[in-house]
């Protein structure tokens, strides 16, 4: 079954065609890689899918429902969660509260009930807290629940942001460079974690990453962008040997240097 | 003394303050009771403003207008319509909340200094309306309001007014704490901290910002309505931009995004001038100087300083992070 289908997606910034007629689709349960040199349009594609940018052309469907013109919060509530290329936490809130914000739409309490701290509110609050702690334990984030998110080391912040996205209980997870800033062994741990997450939460994952080793290892399918256009798509092996792709990466030094 | 014991003692200051406030009327004269009652009114406003500005990150210089709307609604309902006092207060608070919600809608497009300007304009408009709609508000003559009464019990002495406000303000403080600790409070904070991330987590920005405006206006309208009955006279000159600035000063000095800060800031603004009254001509100077020093040495307000020292010296609480300042 197709989870997400992006059709002829286009977005211009002034004269820059950041995304230029990109089409791809994600099958349920797969890890789909989105790669390309710097400025290829990967983050812009993410921002279109999650409602942060309004595309100038094309359609985006999530499980047969068109989401092209929905707001980010509506898209999130439909079951699409994301992380950001530069970590975006609620910095002065505790790690646990960061996760609990994502439980927002699962909780069913009215403001009046909350104001009076009625029993049903306290019960839901306890439940959400329990689930959040369970998730933190799964991600190896125990012991930092009460710490202020902005004071955590970058590695923990990235892990927390991932946890926050998972707490939304999404069907589709979009990760923008989750391995950036991690060393080789940390990246290997992350790869195992992503596979574990996919299986445990039955997710479809769209993954942007410059670390080719990681991408080739865990992606089922890879879509390659260059200058806003799709230049290749297929299994990691196919894509690796594609002459267009080799050319795109060799012609662009920073991309090649990053492996 | 271990950390655990200290954490457990956290409730102790609350108990001491509570007992102190209940016992206070037996020890002090009427003037001090009157000052305390005024303090409670300001605490109510500060709680409301802090929910909007401190927690949700939406600056407002429109709170003098909300205060006026609450006060005049209650006064008109009581004097012209002869409604029972309780109904007047409730209706005034609810009506102000509705106005707050409606003001929140166009303000969705604004933030920071621009939002401050728009809400400041709102204060100017409302004050002008108080003067112009003389048929209802009696214009520049002002309005007399008789004391509130509930089932024949009249709140006409400083003693009675003190307890009325003590009960209402404490209840509303608890309500604010409940809201802050729950789903709505986290949504508010999330918006202040990072709008994009909040949206990505399913928080409807427009919905929660307007809710914050409504709740904030509700607190302030309630304070205005009570104040109308306490003071017994409404002078439209009082609901000026200067009052709005006083309100925002309270929460900045006390601590943005802190309920304790709302209380401490109101204390600073109301009680300190009384303490300095003996200084005569020097009063304003010393008061202003203390204000400057406080904000320089406690940039996150009185409550921020307390929190930082509690963490550093007693190991209580968590390491605070520097929150973004207003207007950023
Ligand atoms: N908000 C914006 N305003 C103007 N131009 C933008 C904006 N966002 C992205 N761009 C431009 O769009 C193009 C695609 O950028 P995008 O961030 O999507 O690339 P990317 O593939 O994520 O690159 P990287 O690997 O460096 O993260 C770039 O040329 C970029 O400069
Ligand atoms: Mg990017």
């Amino acid at each position: 079954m197709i989870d997400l289908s992006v059709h002829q997606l286009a977005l211009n910034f002034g004269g820059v065609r950041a995304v230029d007629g990109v089409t791809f689709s994600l099958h349920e349960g797969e890890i789909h890689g989105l790669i390309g040199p710097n400025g290829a349009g990967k983050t812009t594609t993410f921002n279109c899918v999650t409602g942060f940018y309004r595309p100038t052309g094309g359609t985006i469907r999530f499980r047969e429902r068109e989401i092209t013109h929905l707001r980010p919060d509506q898209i999130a509530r439909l079951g699409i969660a994301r992380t950001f290329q530069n970590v975006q936490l609620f910095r002065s809130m505790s790690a646990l509260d960061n996760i609990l914000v994502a439980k927002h739409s699962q909780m069913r309490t009215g403001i009046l009930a909350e104001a009076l701290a009625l029993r049903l509110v306290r019960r839901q609050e306890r439940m959400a807290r329990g689930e959040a702690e369970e998730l933190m334990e799964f991600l190896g984030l125990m012991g930092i629940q009460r710490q202020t998110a902005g004071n955590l080391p970058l590695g923990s912040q990235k892990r927390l942001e991932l946890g926050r996205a998972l707490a939304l209980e999404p069907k589709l997870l979009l990760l923008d460079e989750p391995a950036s800033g991690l060393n080789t062994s940390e990246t290997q741990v992350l790869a195992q974690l992503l596979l574990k997450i996919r299986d445990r939460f039955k997710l479809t994952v769209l993954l942007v990453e410059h670390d080719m080793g990681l991408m080739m290892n865990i992606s089922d399918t890879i879509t390659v962008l260059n200058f806003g256009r799709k230049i290749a798509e297929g299994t990691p092996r196919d894509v690796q040997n594609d002459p267009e792709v080799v050319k795109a990466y060799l012609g662009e030094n920073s991309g090649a240097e990053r492996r | 003394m271990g950390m655990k014991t200290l954490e457990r003692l956290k409730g102790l200051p609350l108990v001491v303050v509570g007992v102190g406030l209940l016992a206070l009327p037996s020890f002090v004269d009427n003037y001090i009771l009157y000052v305390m009652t005024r303090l409670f009114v300001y605490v109510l406003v500060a709680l409301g403003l802090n929910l909007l500005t401190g927690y949700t990150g939406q600056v407002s210089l429109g709170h003098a207008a909300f205060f006026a709307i609450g006060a005049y609604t209650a006064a008109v309902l009581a004097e012209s319509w002869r409604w029972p006092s309780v109904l007047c207060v409730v209706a005034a608070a609810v009506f102000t909340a509705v106005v707050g919600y409606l003001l929140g809608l166009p303000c969705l497009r604004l933030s920071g200094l621009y939002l401050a300007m728009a809400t400041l304009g709102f204060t100017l408009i409302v004050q002008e309306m108080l003067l112009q709609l003389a048929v209802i508000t009696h214009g520049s003559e002002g309005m007399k309001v008789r004391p509130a009464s509930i089932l024949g019990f009249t709140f006409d002495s400083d003693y009675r007014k003190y307890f009325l406000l003590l009960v209402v303000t404490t209840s509303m403080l608890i309500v604010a704490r409940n809201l802050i600790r729950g789903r709505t409070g986290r949504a508010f904070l999330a918006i202040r901290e990072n709008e994009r991330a909040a949206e990505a987590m399913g928080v409807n920005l427009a919905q929660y910002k307007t809710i914050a405006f409504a709740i904030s206006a509700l607190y302030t309208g309630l304070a205005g309505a009570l104040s109308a009955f306490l003071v017994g006279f409404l002078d439209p000159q009082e609901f000026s931009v200067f009052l709005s600035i006083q309100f925002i000063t309270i929460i900045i000095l006390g601590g943005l995004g802190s309920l304790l800060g709302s209380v401490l800031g109101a204390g600073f603004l109301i009680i300190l001038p009384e303490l300095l009254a003996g200084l005569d001509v020097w009063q304003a100077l010393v008061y202003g100087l203390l204000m400057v020093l406080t904000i320089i040495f406690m940039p996150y307000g009185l409550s921020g300083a307390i929190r930082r020292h509690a963490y550093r010296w007693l190991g209580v609480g968590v390491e605070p992070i520097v929150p973004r300042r207003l207007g950023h």
Side-chain angles (χ1 to χ4, degrees):
Chain A
M1 197 179 111
I2 304 261
D3 241 6
L4 181 81
S5 90
V6 171
H7 183 72
Q8 287 296 322
L9 186 70
L11 179 58
N12 303 337
F13 290 112
V16 182
R17 288 182 174 178
V19 178
D20 190 7
V22 169
T23 300
F24 63 91
S25 46
L26 268 60
H27 295 268
E28 197 179 326
E30 76 167 336
I31 295 186
H32 191 116
L34 189 61
I35 64 171
N38 291 117
K42 306 178 294 291
T43 299
T44 306
T45 303
F46 263 42
N47 283 334
C48 289
V49 171
T50 48
F52 284 91
Y53 290 162
R54 185 149 291 190
T56 37
T59 51
I60 304 164
R61 292 179 160 273
F62 176 58
R63 302 205 160 177
E64 299 310 311
R65 185 180 167 163
E66 176 155 2
I67 59 165
T68 321
H69 295 295
L70 295 186
R71 291 191 314 266
D73 60 288
Q74 296 174 310
I75 292 173
R77 287 198 294 272
L78 286 178
I80 302 183
R82 68 172 293 177
T83 62
F84 294 85
Q85 187 165 348
N86 308 307
V87 182
Q88 305 280 340
L89 289 172
F90 308 117
R91 292 175 54 83
S92 61
M93 295 170 79
S94 72
L96 184 68
D97 278 344
N98 265 269
I99 303 241
L100 284 173
V101 171
K103 294 259 161 221
H104 182 84
S105 43
Q106 292 150 37
M107 296 171 83
R108 293 265 161 271
T109 52
I111 291 193
L112 207 57
E114 288 169 44
L116 302 173
L118 298 185
R119 191 149 63 192
L120 98 146
V121 174
R122 279 177 285 153
R123 194 181 327 121
Q124 286 202 21
E125 199 59 32
R126 245 196 328 270
M127 252 175 56
R129 228 157 257 271
E131 289 169 11
E133 293 196 336
E134 201 178 304
L135 187 60
M136 290 184 84
E137 191 169 342
F138 169 74
L139 291 171
L141 289 171
M142 281 320 262
I144 64 159
Q145 297 103 310
R146 292 195 58 198
Q147 284 186 39
T148 312
N151 290 338
L152 297 170
L154 183 68
S156 308
Q157 290 198 12
K158 292 201 82 139
R159 191 63 70 90
L160 180 60
E161 200 193 22
L162 177 62
R164 191 180 62 180
L166 288 173
L168 205 58
E169 296 183 3
K171 300 169 190 122
L172 171 62
L173 180 63
L174 278 64
L175 305 174
D176 201 347
E177 305 202 13
S180 73
L182 304 187
N183 64 32
T184 322
S185 64
E186 284 167 341
T187 304
Q188 267 160 11
V189 172
L190 178 73
Q192 291 316 305
L193 181 66
L194 290 181
L195 291 170
K196 221 164 88 186
I197 285 173
R198 188 251 319 252
D199 298 337
R200 178 174 164 148
F201 299 99
K202 312 248 176 308
L203 289 175
T204 310
V205 180
L206 181 61
L207 179 63
V208 165
E209 189 45 69
H210 281 292
D211 189 310
M212 284 307 154
L214 174 73
M215 285 311 246
M216 297 301 157
N217 249 329
I218 66 170
S219 304
D220 299 301
T221 320
I222 290 181
T223 298
V224 190
L225 300 183
N226 195 21
F227 292 119
R229 295 184 148 274
K230 181 166 101 174
I231 57 169
E233 188 168 72
T235 63
R237 188 188 299 268
D238 293 344
V239 163
Q240 224 165 359
N241 300 323
D242 189 297
E244 279 274 345
V245 177
V246 175
K247 207 171 78 190
Y249 273 89
L250 287 183
E252 211 261 7
N253 275 328
S254 59
E257 262 167 31
R258 289 191 186 198
R259 275 170 298 161
Chain B
M1 204 160 30
M3 251 174 76
K4 275 271 151 54
T5 332
L6 276 171
E7 292 273 355
R8 231 173 273 144
L9 286 176
K10 254 169 60 177
L12 192 63
L14 277 184
V15 174
V16 173
V17 171
V19 171
L21 287 174
L22 286 173
L24 188 73
S26 325
F27 299 105
V28 299
D29 60 20
N30 279 346
Y31 180 70
I32 293 186
L33 281 188
Y34 164 74
V35 172
M36 287 301 288
T37 309
R38 238 164 64 84
L39 168 67
F40 293 146
V41 170
Y42 274 77
V43 169
L44 269 181
V45 176
L47 288 172
L49 183 58
N50 224 334
L51 285 172
L52 179 67
T53 302
Y55 283 91
T56 319
Q58 312 298 305
V59 194
S60 167
L61 288 176
H63 274 57
F66 293 142
F67 194 71
I69 291 170
Y72 271 91
T73 307
V76 170
L77 291 177
E79 296 300 313
S80 310
W81 296 59
R82 304 274 160 199
W83 280 26
S85 309
V86 178
L87 271 187
C88 291
V89 172
V90 172
V94 171
F95 178 66
T96 315
V98 172
V99 175
Y101 182 84
L102 294 177
L103 178 70
L105 291 174
C107 286
L108 286 172
R109 310 166 143 269
L110 306 172
S111 66
L113 287 175
Y114 300 93
L115 183 56
M117 281 300 107
T119 48
L120 184 136
F122 179 64
T123 297
L124 294 176
I125 292 169
V126 168
Q127 196 182 17
E128 189 57 30
M129 278 169 64
L130 296 180
L131 292 167
Q132 298 303 328
L133 292 177
V135 197
I136 306 170
T137 64
H138 302 254
S140 54
E141 270 173 44
M143 261 186 101
K144 261 214 173 76
V145 190
R146 274 161 302 155
S149 66
I150 301 176
L151 302 171
F153 184 87
T154 310
F155 292 89
D156 48 6
S157 67
D158 288 317
Y159 184 80
R160 289 175 174 184
K161 290 174 181 175
Y162 173 87
F163 277 108
L164 174 66
L165 260 285
L166 178 61
V167 169
V168 174
T169 305
T170 310
S171 314
M172 293 308 280
L173 179 65
I174 294 170
V175 164
R177 188 207 53 177
N178 290 346
L179 282 177
I180 285 313
R181 288 190 177 173
R183 174 174 180 259
T184 303
R186 280 191 300 268
F188 286 170
L189 277 171
I191 290 174
R192 177 191 81 185
E193 290 293 301
N194 193 326
E195 287 198 0
R196 289 205 304 154
E199 274 188 293
M201 291 303 119
V203 176
N204 183 336
L205 295 185
Q207 184 189 356
Y208 277 89
K209 282 183 186 177
T210 45
I211 287 178
F213 260 100
I215 295 178
S216 186
L218 182 109
Y219 271 81
T220 312
L222 175 65
L226 290 167
S227 153
F229 285 115
L230 297 176
V231 180
F233 182 73
L234 298 183
D235 173 3
Q237 297 305 333
E238 280 183 25
F239 306 101
S240 65
V241 170
F242 180 73
L243 185 63
S244 279
I245 294 175
Q246 259 194 320
F247 291 154
I248 207 108
T249 308
I250 289 179
I251 62 165
I252 295 176
L253 282 178
L256 290 170
S258 156
L259 297 180
L260 175 66
S262 305
V263 178
L264 296 178
F268 188 103
L269 208 92
I270 300 299
I271 299 194
L272 200 61
E274 301 293 337
L275 298 179
L276 298 176
L279 295 178
D280 212 19
V281 285
W282 297 98
Q283 189 205 342
L285 190 79
V286 174
Y287 180 66
L289 196 65
L290 280 174
M291 208 169 202
V292 172
L293 291 175
T294 307
I295 212 65
I296 288 177
F297 291 107
M298 304 177 191
Y300 300 102
L302 299 164
S303 69
I306 289 177
R307 204 161 293 158
R308 205 173 54 240
H309 290 299
Y311 177 77
R312 190 186 304 159
W313 304 111
L314 302 174
V316 179
V318 293
E319 188 180 359
I321 191 174
V322 182
R324 245 160 284 153
R325 292 214 205 173
L326 262 185
H328 284 249

